[in-house]
Each structure stands twice: as structure tokens, then as C-alpha cells.
Amino acid sequence: FLFIGLIACSGKSKKDVTSIQFDTLRMAQTLHLDNDSAKPYVKFITNLTYVKGGVKPYVKDSINKAIIATTFGDEYQNMNMLQATDSFKQTYFKQFKDEVGPTYIQDMQENAEQTRKRWYNYTKTMKSNFIFNDADILSYRVDIDDNTGGAHGMHDTYFVNFNALTGKPFGLDDVFTGNYEPALNQLIMAELERKMKVKNQKDLEDMGFFASDSLAPTDNFYISDKAICFYYNVYEIAPYAVGALDVEVPFAAVRSMMNTDHNPLAELLE
């Protein structure tokens, strides 16, 4: 079964001079091994927002190229949203057939009674939206849920931020100046300690933090009215039981570190 839908909407913030028009691509398809409903299935679901119009073509193209790369990978960035989604789906379905097909057949031959179809089912859900649209800044969020029959599925969230007037994505090096990382890292650490209700970094380490990697400011961030928010996915800096971590650092705390020359957040900071 395949469902594809497009929904149009528009967004205009109190400070924006342009009204960006959005579309949402909804797709849902389920495929069983050998097209047999008695066999394991793969399910692919999307609800993905992208720019339809309301801005100059080069702005639209720049934004859509970046959000497609963030959602699916760099190899899809020169396709439009429908092409990229369909191509990614076909690759995902092939992965399911290649990984599950031979294993399921072998397990059924060896012990059909103990082979449970649900252990082999794959489901991927991809959702996205613009979560911030103000002061010529756009923040875009992508949520990906992936279940490949294990004990628990995986959830990852990714962000990309844009100058809405140019369509150009921006990162931390565009916002901050000089050797900002040590001081920013201290602010993130302090917020983590507050969030987890501990006294110091050692307490965090005792909880399993930083076992795989040390803390560093991540480029996976988004913008809110009063803060820059750093998002660490599951396992990135903490064990699975802790979950994903959203660390908010107020603009007031980092204003002295910010770039004063063409900073994309300049209007927001006024």
C-alpha cells in the first residue's frame, strides 16, 4: 500500500518581511517479503516539510538542498523532495530485502515454530518541520525513528539553521568568534549539571556520561527566541537510559563570544 500527499501552508513571523510558503510531503508504504502478507514487512512513513515558494528561487533551492541532505544524506541533495524521498525509500526497501530475506528463510527452514515474524519487521518514520521562523532566521528539525526488529528502536533528531533572506545554512563558526569553544563548553557543562541535578562533571561521568566521547559544542543546534539550543542524540554523550539531551544556553550568557560582523542572529539579538 502506498499513500503520497502534499499539503501547502505558509509561514510569516512578526519580524519577517517575506512570507515563505511550505509544502509537506506525506508518504506511507508497506512491503512484505515476496509480496506475501504472511511474511515480514518493511514500512516507510514520511511527513516532511520543505519550501514551496514565497522567496527567490535561489533561496528556495538552497534551503531545500540543505534540508534534503540533512534528512537523507548528501547523495540526495540534488534531487527535489519527492525524488529524494522515493529514491531513499527504494534503497531502504532493498536493504530490508537483502538483510532480512536470507536470514528469515534460513531461520524458517531450521526452526519454523520458534521463528517470529515480528522480529524481522523494519519500520522507518521520518518527520520534519520548521520550528523557528523569526528575525530572518529559520530552524529546521528532522526526527527519524528506525526500528529493525531489535529490543528497542533508535530515534535521532537533526537540525539545520538558515538565513531566511539568502537561504544559506549557518553554523557555530558563523555565530561565534575567536576561540569560543572552551568557554561555550563550560556553559553547556554547567547546564547539563543543572539539568541532571548533579554538582560537577565527575557526577555526570559516574552516571555514564562521556563514556564514548568528551563533551563538545555540537553543530546539531537550533535557535529559539532567547537561546541557542544544543541537541545531543541518544548515546552521543550519555547512555541510552538518559535519552537525548536538549541543552539551552541563553543569548545573554554568550553575547560576548558572538561574532559582530554579519552575524546571522544580529536582528534577533537587538
Side-chain angles (χ1 to χ4, degrees):
F1 171 77
L2 171 64
F3 167 79
I4 300 177
L6 293 172
I7 298 176
C9 58
S10 63
K12 186 175 182 180
S13 76
K14 59 186 179 181
K15 297 181 183 178
D16 284 341
V17 296
T18 59
S19 180
I20 299 181
Q21 298 171 351
F22 304 116
D23 254 358
T24 299
L25 174 62
R26 293 179 176 175
M27 180 182 293
Q29 185 171 1
T30 301
L31 179 71
H32 290 265
L33 276 179
D34 303 323
N35 294 318
D36 184 345
S37 61
K39 293 183 178 181
Y41 65 78
V42 56
K43 183 181 294 184
F44 181 69
I45 303 167
T46 68
N47 190 331
L48 302 172
T49 300
Y50 61 99
V51 176
K52 179 184 179 182
V55 290
K56 294 179 180 179
Y58 73 87
V59 174
K60 179 188 75 171
D61 292 344
S62 178
I63 293 173
N64 287 339
K65 182 176 182 178
I67 65 177
I68 287 170
T70 301
T71 305
F72 300 115
D74 289 344
E75 63 268 35
Y76 297 91
Q77 64 184 337
N78 292 321
M79 303 178 187
N80 64 39
M81 181 60 83
L82 180 57
Q83 292 170 336
T85 304
D86 188 66
S87 179
F88 185 90
K89 178 197 69 177
Q90 296 300 334
T91 300
Y92 181 59
F93 282 6
K94 183 179 185 301
Q95 175 191 349
F96 167 76
K97 292 177 181 178
D98 292 345
E99 293 178 356
V100 172
T103 303
Y104 178 73
I105 292 171
Q106 181 179 345
D107 291 348
M108 286 293 289
Q109 290 173 344
E110 294 178 355
N111 195 336
E113 291 185 1
Q114 293 188 17
T115 298
R116 300 290 182 265
K117 183 176 67 174
R118 66 178 182 275
W119 295 346
Y120 305 86
N121 295 335
Y122 278 25
T123 301
K124 186 184 289 286
T125 303
M126 311 179 81
K127 299 179 180 180
S128 67
N129 203 2
F130 289 93
I131 61 169
F132 186 80
N133 176 13
D134 202 356
D136 300 327
I137 298 296
L138 295 171
S139 286
Y140 187 80
R141 172 174 177 152
V142 182
D143 291 289
I144 302 174
D145 288 290
D146 200 5
N147 192 311
T148 55
H152 53 73
M154 285 298 298
H155 177 91
D156 288 305
T157 299
Y158 303 102
F159 297 91
V160 59
N161 304 281
F162 301 94
N163 180 321
L165 298 181
T166 65
K168 182 180 178 181
F170 64 85
L172 295 179
D173 288 344
D174 299 303
V175 175
F176 298 102
T177 188
N179 184 26
Y180 64 86
E181 289 194 15
L184 183 56
N185 203 55
Q186 289 182 358
L187 291 170
I188 295 173
M189 183 71 74
E191 176 59 18
L192 275 175
E193 292 167 0
R194 186 200 66 78
K195 198 178 194 73
M196 301 307 298
K197 300 179 180 179
V198 299
K199 295 181 179 179
N200 51 48
Q201 181 176 338
K202 185 178 184 307
D203 290 342
L204 290 173
E205 292 172 352
D206 290 342
M207 295 174 65
F209 277 72
F210 322 126
S212 59
D213 201 1
S214 58
L215 179 66
T218 175
D219 268 314
N220 197 31
F221 70 91
Y222 63 95
I223 303 301
S224 70
D225 287 329
K226 297 181 179 179
I228 181 168
C229 308
F230 298 90
Y231 194 93
Y232 297 90
N233 281 299
V234 174
Y235 289 128
E236 198 168 347
I237 59 171
Y240 180 84
V242 174
L245 289 160
D246 198 341
V247 183
E248 182 176 298
V249 178
F251 291 142
V254 294
R255 191 178 291 270
S256 63
M257 294 182 252
M258 286 189 165
N259 177 14
T260 57
D261 184 23
H262 303 296
N263 192 315
L265 303 184
E267 186 175 346
L268 193 61
L269 295 170
E270 290 179 355

